[in-house]
């Protein structure tokens, strides 16, 4: 009899434990992030030929495999069952309507699995001039989506009737999870700048949501803050204009977490928005599915939406194709020179300015006549090929200090390469001035190159400043302040929340009557914020 009761008790305890585990996890939410899909519809490749082959060599993206790679994410969504999927732009190769339709067919499958999917446009998604069909040695124009068509196409993915829309851009705000307001921010029409109208629209909704005790996150294509030193100078089009002031304003209105793409790296950056380092804005950039190392992210979010625990996954097995991560590395290796040239082309304006600013120094070593991205790329490949490969791959992978190159090693290899270059450029009698030239070169590198490079290789945000910090790029754990309800006056509290009880300040002082000054007060175990 005792044995029988013991077995029943065990079963009951197991049942209670199971129910407890289910109740504990039922309130958790899962948020998946994938970025820069760069999907090319198979219908655009009418016949493979020289034109498409050359275009593929110039790009880091595996366009031919892009639709198959993206469709593997349907199985990934099915496996992890996220409540919310965020895709911050560059859904297509060049905004082709056919490519958008290919994307939507996969998104619909994800939606049928119960996931809410939200997207925003990137710089490749609307009115793109390079939307073409490839047919052997020729191309013909393909229809690229207009802004109006984009909104209609993605009406189930952020642009539906329940979203609040900005009148100036394709930005929107919605609440896909109870208590979580997501801002999908489109800065493509303004060249990466927040206009006063868009900022007023955003902060108005944000203030109202915070007043209701809701948590806020943002999603946009460009990085909200710099991910490495001088990013806004070197890679101007990859970060929001006036990013530091914008970040402080956004954080001041409760928007402290952004999910971004565009830069194609798996990297997390933090900017402290006050001198005390007690408040910050965090930018989680996610790499591209069709480029090495093919990453995506999954976050587990607690019931109060304050703890975001992330992990990184990769697209590996693609049916009838192979391991996408391995294939993407091979593609990058085989086409590295073309990819580097393309990267320099994309950022040529600020690079050319650096060359102009250092004209006198470059003239001393006969390098003042670098006139094109191709010339600079040729020099980089000739003298620094292996070093650049290690640096770029480390940055793409994230958690750079775990890579194969350290700042000290990179500095030594760069300076050795510079002197190999000088040996080829300078005449024998000019080399006699090596000590003087060495000072000039080191000064130029220390000013123009090393701050950004060391920031990347040490994975340090706000490098060499009092605000410097290091973040985990691959498995970040992000803590956000708990949203507290705010009221313009305590007299305006709902009847059931306006007790005739005593109020206390946070340091325990008892007040007489209802508080009149701005601040945070406690009564009956609840906090109230008086603005």
């Amino acid at each position: 009899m005792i044995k029988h009761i013991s077995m029943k008790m065990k079963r009951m305890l197991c049942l209670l434990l199971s129910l407890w585990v289910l109740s504990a996890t039922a309130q958790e939410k899962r948020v998946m992030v994938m970025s820069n899909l760069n999907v090319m519809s198979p219908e655009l490749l009418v016949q493979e030929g020289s034109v498409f082959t050359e275009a593929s060599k110039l790009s880091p993206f595996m366009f031919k495999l892009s639709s198959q790679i993206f469709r593997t994410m349907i199985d990934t969504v099915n496996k992890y069952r996220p409540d919310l999927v965020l895709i911050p732009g560059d859904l297509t190769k060049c905004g082709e309507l056919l490519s958008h339709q290919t994307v939507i067919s996969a998104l619909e499958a994800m939606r049928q699995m119960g996931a809410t999917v939200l997207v925003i446009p990137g710089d490749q998604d609307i009115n793109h001039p390079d939307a073409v069909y490839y047919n052997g040695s020729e191309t013909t124009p393909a229809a690229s989506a207009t802004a109006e068509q984009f909104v209609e196409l993605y009406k189930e993915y952020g642009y539906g009737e329940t979203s609040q829309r900005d009148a100036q851009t394709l930005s929107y705000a919605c609440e896909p999870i109870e208590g979580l307001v997501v801002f999908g921010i489109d800065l493509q029409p303004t060249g990466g700048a927040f206009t006063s109208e868009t900022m007023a629209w955003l902060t108005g909704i944000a203030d109202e949501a915070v007043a209701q005790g809701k948590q806020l996150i943002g999603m946009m294509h460009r990085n909200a803050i710099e991910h490495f030193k001088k990013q806004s100078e070197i890679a101007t089009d990859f970060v929001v204009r006036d990013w530091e002031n914008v970040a402080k304003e956004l954080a001041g209105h409760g928007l402290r977490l952004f999910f971004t793409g565009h830069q194609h790296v798996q990297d997390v950056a933090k900017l402290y928005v006050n001198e005390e380092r007690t408040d910050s804005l965090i930018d989680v950039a996610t790499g591209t599915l069709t480029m090495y190392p093919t990453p995506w992210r999954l976050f587990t979010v607690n019931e109060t939406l304050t703890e975001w625990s992330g992990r990184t996954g990769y697209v590996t097995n693609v049916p009838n194709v192979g391991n996408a991560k391995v294939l993407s590395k091979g593609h990058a290796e085989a086409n590295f020179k073309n990819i580097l040239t393309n990267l320099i082309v994309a950022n040529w304006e600020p690079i050319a300015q650096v060359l102009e600013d250092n004209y006198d120094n470059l003239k001393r070593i006969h390098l003042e006549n670098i006139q094109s991205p191709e010339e600079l790329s040729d020099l980089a490949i000739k003298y620094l090929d292996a070093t650049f490969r290690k640096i770029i791959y480390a940055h793409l992978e994230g958690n750079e200090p775990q890579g194969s190159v350290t700042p000290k090693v990179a500095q030594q290899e760069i300076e050795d390469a510079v002197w190999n270059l000088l040996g080829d450029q300078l005449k024998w009698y000019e080399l006699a001035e090596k000590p003087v030239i060495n000072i000039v070169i080191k000064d130029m590198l220390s000013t123009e190159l090393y701050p950004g490079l060391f920031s990347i290789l040490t994975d340090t945000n706000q490098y060499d400043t009092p605000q410097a910090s290091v973040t985990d790029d691959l498995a970040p754990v992000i803590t956000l302040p708990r949203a507290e309800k705010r009221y313009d006056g305590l007299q305006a509290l709902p009847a059931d929340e306006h007790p005739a009880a005593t109020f206390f300040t946070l340091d325990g002082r008892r007040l007489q009557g209802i508080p009149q000054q701005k601040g945070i007060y406690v009564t009956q175990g609840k906090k109230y914020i008086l603005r």
Side-chain angles (χ1 to χ4, degrees), residues 234-248:
I234 301 168
T236 309
D237 292 338
F238 288 81
V239 66
V240 169
R241 308 285 181 187
D242 194 24
W243 61 275
E244 196 162 5
N245 288 324
V246 166
K248 290 177 180 178

Side-chain angles (χ1 to χ4, degrees), residues 217-323:
I217 64 171
M219 170 177 67
M220 61 183 168
H221 193 51
R222 290 187 180 222
N223 299 149
I225 58 177
E226 281 191 340
H227 279 249
F228 60 88
K229 189 81 168 180
K230 290 195 170 188
Q231 181 190 1
S232 58
E233 299 173 33
I234 301 168
T236 309
D237 292 338
F238 288 81
V239 66
V240 169
R241 308 285 181 187
D242 194 24
W243 61 275
E244 196 162 5
N245 288 324
V246 166
K248 290 177 180 178
E249 182 163 6
L250 294 172
H253 290 274
L255 196 48
R256 295 179 174 88
L257 176 58
F258 271 88
F259 295 96
T260 66
H262 197 30
Q263 198 189 347
H264 311 147
V265 297
Q266 198 77 348
D267 196 76
V268 179
K270 176 189 286 188
L271 174 71
Y272 288 105
V273 295
N274 60 355
E275 293 182 0
E276 297 78 18
R277 293 166 59 104
T278 57
D279 197 8
S280 62
L281 184 144
I282 296 172
D283 184 301
V284 180
T286 301
T288 167
L289 293 178
T290 54
M291 173 181 165
Y292 181 75
T294 66
W296 48 267
R297 296 184 185 273
L298 182 67
F299 285 85
T300 300
V301 188
N302 69 349
E303 182 180 359
T304 59
L305 307 174
T306 55
E307 296 289 337
W308 294 63
S309 300
R311 53 156 292 192
T312 293
Y314 302 93
V315 179
T316 51
N317 183 39
V318 181
N320 303 315
V321 171
N323 188 314

Side-chain angles (χ1 to χ4, degrees), residues 86-144:
L86 301 175
I87 308 178
D90 276 5
L91 312 172
T92 62
K93 177 180 178 290
C94 291
E96 309 91 349
L97 281 172
L98 285 172
S99 297
H100 281 299
Q101 290 162 5
T102 301
V103 169
I104 289 169
S105 69
L107 297 186
E108 179 59 24
M110 296 176 190
R111 194 165 71 93
Q112 292 301 319
M113 294 171 184
T116 297
V117 183
L118 300 178
V119 308
I120 53 166
D123 56 305
Q124 299 292 118
D125 292 324
I126 293 174
N127 292 328
H128 202 287
D130 295 333
V132 295
Y133 290 93
Y134 293 94
N135 192 354
S137 60
E138 298 179 341
T139 62
T140 54
S144 184

Side-chain angles (χ1 to χ4, degrees), residues 15 25 60 101 114 187 209 223 239 345 414 430 493:
L15 177 61
T25 58
Q101 290 162 5
L187 299 181
N223 299 149
V239 66
V345 168
I414 288 168
E430 292 174 311
L493 287 174

Side-chain angles (χ1 to χ4, degrees), residues 345-366:
V345 168
N347 298 286
W348 181 244
E349 186 176 340
I351 291 172
Q353 186 62 55
V354 170
L355 295 175
E356 183 179 333
D357 293 343
N358 289 275
Y359 177 85
D360 291 339
N361 289 334
L362 291 169
K363 188 175 182 179
R364 295 188 65 172
I365 55 177
H366 308 305

